Amino acid sequence: MRDLDFLKIFLGILFIAVIVLSFVTGKPVRGYGDEFRIFYYHVPCAIVSFIAFLVNLIYSMKYLRSRYYLDDMKAASAAEIGIVFGVLATLTGAIFAKITWGTYWNWDIRQTSIVVLLAVYGAYFALRTAVEPEERRSAFSAVYAILAFIAVPTFGFVVPRLYDSLHPKDTLVSGGKIALGGTVAVVFFGSLIAFTILFFWLFNLRWRTGLLERSRMEKSYE
Amino acid sequence: MRFGLRGVFKDISFRLASPSSLTVTGPNGSGKSTLLKIIAGLLVPTSGRVRMESDSDEIKAESRRKLMAMVSPEMNFYDELTGAENLEFFMKASGSRLKPEEIEEALNEVGLQGRGDDYLKAYSSGMRMRLKYALAILKQPEIMIVDEPSTNLDASGRKIIYDLMHRHQQNGILIFATNEDDEIAIANERINLAR
Amino acid sequence: MSELTWPAKLIALVVKDFRVELRTRYSLNALIMFALVTLFALGVTFTGQNLTFRIHAALIWIMIYFAGLQGLSGGFVKEEESRTAMALRLYAPSSVIFFGKLIFSLLILTILVVFLFPLYYILMNLEITRIWIMLLVLILGIFGLSATSTITAAMVSKANVKGALFAVLSFPLMLPLLLVAISATTVCLGGGDSQALWDSLKIMIAYPVIVTAVSFLLFDYVWNN
């Protein structure tokens, strides 16, 4: 536990640094104004929600092998936090869209993809509340999580080629190389690391509280 | 075996060799049906397993289906099909094509002669139970699993199925769950599930 | 008695499902009526309007999708509701059940489209420039919708709430397919750019095949639980 305390302090300092630097450093991208600073938060949120869903996938597959309830609990915890970060990414994106393109929502294919992504994990939780007993619920949600992971990349990477996107291209990656300049890159990756650590911390807390809830339920049955 | 967070039973262990018979007894809710379903491969136990072997080689799950027949009040056939169509379908699905005479013969054996072309919808609950036994007869299983053998059956129906059970336990393995004394007497081994 | 082959068992299941369906109209009635009502509503709303290719394409697929939602889960839900699933699990191999139900959905949707598409063509004054490719798109779309709904239907049949859950679970899996089908149909009707057509067709083949393969691998976890 002591090591984790150190990590929490490190995380606090990192977040303060990222927040301060994201406002005081120069404008991140030419052609956009100060509003582009939101990308320091928007993009890490989107990436972290993707990491969360990846963690959900891994534990879902693990559950089908092990049939161990803790794996299912971890999968569900990851999906919950993934949804929170997904919503944050959507909101920050909408704010940026309002300032840059004049509307909060314009059915850009990227915006649509994240809504589909959230719909998938919304469906995942709808499934969880509708299925009993526990073993069946865990198995079904694991199966659905795996299937969802075929739909999501198809949607995110393949379909957009057929539809136009307003999204700024070549901001992060251009010609296979990372396209961010010096300080911008430092702040961006600092933020990404901070958000990633935050995710794993929340994830750890969430499945442990889940475990406590479960043991309380189990006691009430006896 | 657990349902939700509540365990149904644990620490059950037994071995059966063919020919033999086993009856599972116990109060309502003690998990008799659950145990039978686990043996039939319809439920996966939380821990533990069912092993079947032939000449000390393990029989794989997919091939077990061919060796088993089950009769249970929880198991329904298709209302929209006739009795004969039901038998034909389930036998085809498990891999055998039947001649009409064979179906007729099985129906006779359970006292459903002449009713093969009636829709199941028109069957009484006792007739439905008899049809399940007809399928078990056609299947010629190595292992016959019966949950509450005499559910919905009248005196003549009981006589038919008790004969059937007696005959089966001399050639194969018979496992059934019941709480009725004259049925318990059929089996040569017994497991009692306490609550 | 000789052991029947796998296709023979599959055919037995599909024939059984079809027989039961014809005697009860469990899925078909709701499906066809839903489609008719929708088509009627569209016809009344859009009289005399000149719809773009894209709107036509979207309407056609939205109609097939929503009508499909009424009937596609039927194959599995019926088995659970009439409590026949247990006997089926005991006597039929799960691979036969998976592909049998998939084929059954395919047939139900085909009947729907054979009925609905010509009617839409006549009532909405549709013009099709690439009729053969349109046919191919319809066939692939039917395959895709059946493929993506088979395992979700199996899950829904064992859930406490059925109707709404099927729509909720299937939507994200079907949406990529629907968008691509709409884009391909737009081209077939004469709009869009034909460059996109080939890309769309590729996805319409690959996506359902992958979903079917993965669903099949995972089917036992759903069916035997």
Side-chain angles (χ1 to χ4, degrees):
Chain A
M1 277 298 112
R2 292 293 102 189
D3 317 339
L4 283 178
D5 279 349
F6 157 76
L7 206 60
K8 284 174 204 165
I9 293 163
F10 172 70
L11 184 64
I13 294 168
L14 189 59
F15 257 119
I16 292 167
V18 165
I19 292 167
V20 171
L21 286 175
S22 69
F23 284 99
V24 299
T25 50
K27 285 178 186 164
V29 175
R30 218 172 305 158
Y32 288 95
D34 279 325
E35 74 276 6
F36 208 90
R37 293 179 193 280
I38 205 167
F39 109 106
Y40 288 127
Y41 305 95
H42 171 65
V43 180
C45 276
I47 292 176
V48 164
S49 91
F50 184 76
I51 292 174
F53 294 134
L54 201 63
V55 171
N56 167 268
L57 174 74
I58 291 165
Y59 279 107
S60 296
M61 297 205 283
K62 204 166 163 228
Y63 174 81
L64 289 183
R65 286 194 166 274
S66 69
R67 299 280 180 146
Y68 180 42
Y69 66 85
L70 189 58
D71 289 331
D72 172 60
M73 204 172 267
K74 285 180 178 173
S77 308
E80 272 180 25
I81 302 166
I83 288 179
V84 172
F85 280 102
V87 169
L88 286 175
T90 313
L91 292 179
T92 48
I95 294 168
F96 180 74
K98 174 72 180 171
I99 294 164
T100 321
W101 303 310
T103 45
Y104 286 109
W105 199 261
N106 32 58
W107 292 109
D108 175 82
I109 192 69
R110 288 283 172 85
Q111 288 181 322
T112 316
S113 332
I114 193 125
V115 170
V116 172
L117 196 69
L118 294 175
V120 167
Y121 291 94
Y124 175 85
F125 283 105
L127 179 66
R128 292 183 74 85
T129 53
V131 178
E132 274 180 326
E134 191 189 27
E135 283 90 1
R136 183 183 281 182
R137 168 170 63 239
S138 308
F140 282 21
S141 36
V143 167
Y144 191 71
I146 295 170
L147 280 173
F149 234 81
I150 313 170
V152 169
T154 311
F155 208 91
F157 301 113
V158 186
V159 179
R161 287 172 47 198
L162 302 173
Y163 292 79
D164 297 328
S165 176
L166 287 170
H167 247 77
K169 288 188 191 98
D170 302 338
T171 319
L172 283 181
V173 184
S174 149
K177 277 186 236 151
I178 291 175
L180 295 176
T183 38
V184 181
V186 170
V187 181
F188 173 75
F189 285 108
S191 170
L192 183 58
I193 291 166
F195 272 100
T196 309
I197 297 173
L198 180 66
F199 162 71
F200 281 104
W201 182 24
L202 287 172
F203 172 59
N204 185 272
L205 284 175
R206 183 66 193 96
W207 69 256
R208 277 161 56 209
T209 49
L211 212 55
L212 287 176
E213 279 163 23
R214 188 191 147 96
S215 69
R216 200 181 61 186
M217 282 266 279
E218 218 159 28
K219 274 204 192 83
S220 70
Y221 272 108
E222 275 157 14
Chain B
M1 181 67 205
R2 296 147 53 109
F3 265 119
L5 292 169
R6 217 185 69 80
V8 177
F9 52 70
K10 53 182 176 185
D11 300 333
I12 293 175
S13 174
F14 59 86
R15 265 185 93 87
L16 289 173
S18 178
S20 68
S21 56
L22 170 78
T23 179
V24 183
T25 58
N28 297 139
S30 60
K32 297 189 293 294
S33 301
T34 306
L35 179 60
L36 292 192
K37 282 185 202 161
I38 289 173
I39 298 170
L42 293 172
L43 281 178
V44 185
T46 319
S47 62
R49 61 198 211 102
V50 180
R51 188 183 158 89
M52 291 183 194
E53 42 186 62
S54 152
D55 302 327
S56 70
D57 287 332
E58 169 140 33
I59 302 169
K60 294 211 173 59
E62 259 320 279
S63 351
R64 288 182 192 178
R65 198 189 320 276
K66 295 189 193 75
L67 304 175
M68 277 189 291
M70 185 172 183
V71 174
S72 158
E74 284 177 53
M75 188 170 81
N76 285 2
F77 289 173
Y78 296 95
D79 268 358
E80 302 81 4
L81 301 182
T82 67
E85 281 171 345
N86 266 300
L87 296 180
E88 194 198 351
F89 164 65
F90 282 113
M91 288 305 287
K92 268 191 187 167
S94 64
S96 353
R97 196 187 304 278
L98 295 173
K99 296 192 192 72
E101 311 90 77
E102 291 173 294
I103 293 180
E104 198 52 41
E105 207 175 297
L107 288 171
N108 286 348
E109 219 171 310
V110 295
L112 286 175
Q113 51 273 41
R115 302 304 298 267
D117 290 335
D118 291 358
Y119 285 114
L120 202 64
K121 224 177 287 182
Y123 276 35
S124 71
S125 50
M127 288 164 70
R128 284 160 195 251
M129 197 66 183
R130 288 175 187 226
L131 192 69
K132 293 176 201 173
Y133 281 100
L135 182 60
I137 291 169
L138 286 169
K139 191 92 200 294
Q140 297 176 319
E142 194 61 38
I143 303 163
M144 186 153 125
I145 301 166
V146 187
D147 195 1
E148 302 182 35
S150 55
T151 312
N152 296 326
L153 289 177
D154 55 15
S156 76
R158 282 175 195 229
K159 192 180 169 309
I160 293 170
I161 63 123
Y162 291 162
D163 284 348
L164 178 67
M165 287 161 71
H166 272 296
R167 255 183 296 140
H168 187 83
Q169 64 169 322
Q170 280 151 21
N171 304 309
I173 295 174
L174 171 72
I175 302 170
F176 61 97
T178 186
N179 279 322
E180 302 205 13
D181 291 333
D182 42 345
E183 288 170 12
I184 294 169
I186 297 175
N188 39 38
E189 277 179 69
R190 174 176 176 180
I191 287 184
N192 189 39
L193 299 176
R195 209 184 150 125
Chain C
M1 280 189 289
S2 62
E3 168 81 18
L4 286 177
T5 56
W6 190 85
K9 295 179 192 172
L10 187 71
I11 291 167
L13 180 67
V14 175
V15 167
K16 185 277 294 177
D17 272 347
F18 226 77
R19 210 175 247 171
V20 171
E21 176 61 38
L22 287 181
R23 288 176 190 172
T24 56
R25 309 279 159 75
Y26 187 89
S27 307
L28 267 179
N29 271 0
L31 209 88
I32 301 268
M33 278 317 292
F34 191 92
L36 270 182
V37 169
T38 320
L39 190 57
F40 178 77
L42 289 181
V44 172
T45 320
F46 292 123
T47 25
Q49 302 276 325
N50 209 353
L51 300 181
T52 63
F53 300 124
R54 195 169 195 92
I55 291 178
H56 270 304
L59 288 179
I60 291 169
W61 283 103
I62 288 172
M63 226 160 51
I64 295 176
Y65 167 70
F66 277 102
L69 282 185
Q70 313 305 310
L72 280 181
S73 62
F76 278 105
V77 171
K78 172 90 179 46
E79 301 280 0
E80 288 296 332
E81 277 178 358
S82 58
R83 309 229 281 166
T84 46
M86 185 174 164
L88 202 58
R89 272 165 70 199
L90 196 66
Y91 292 110
S94 59
S95 58
V96 166
I97 294 167
F98 180 80
F99 286 104
K101 295 294 181 193
L102 177 60
I103 292 172
F104 180 66
S105 297
L106 218 70
L107 291 174
I108 293 280
L109 267 189
T110 307
I111 293 173
L112 172 78
V113 171
V114 164
F115 171 82
L116 187 67
F117 192 74
L119 218 56
Y120 187 97
Y121 180 81
I122 296 165
L123 295 177
M124 305 290 284
N125 302 315
L126 197 65
E127 274 166 43
I128 308 172
T129 47
R130 299 171 202 229
I131 186 110
W132 294 109
I133 299 178
M134 184 68 236
L135 206 62
L136 179 68
V137 169
L138 284 174
I139 292 169
L140 289 175
I142 290 171
F143 170 53
L145 291 179
S146 317
T148 46
S149 66
T150 304
I151 200 162
T152 46
M155 284 195 238
V156 164
S157 72
K158 295 182 179 198
N160 304 335
V161 266
K162 295 188 171 68
L165 190 65
F166 182 59
V168 168
L169 291 185
S170 315
F171 171 72
L173 295 182
M174 288 178 175
L175 193 65
L177 190 84
L178 283 175
L179 287 184
V180 175
I182 290 169
S183 137
T185 305
T186 311
V187 179
C188 292
L189 299 181
D193 75 290
S194 42
Q195 190 58 47
L197 182 64
W198 179 230
D199 280 346
S200 307
L201 288 178
K202 274 192 285 193
I203 300 175
M204 287 190 80
I205 296 168
Y207 182 69
V209 168
I210 297 170
V211 171
T212 307
V214 175
S215 308
F216 176 61
L217 291 176
L218 297 173
F219 183 64
D220 271 356
Y221 293 110
V222 176
W223 181 240
N224 291 325
N225 229 311

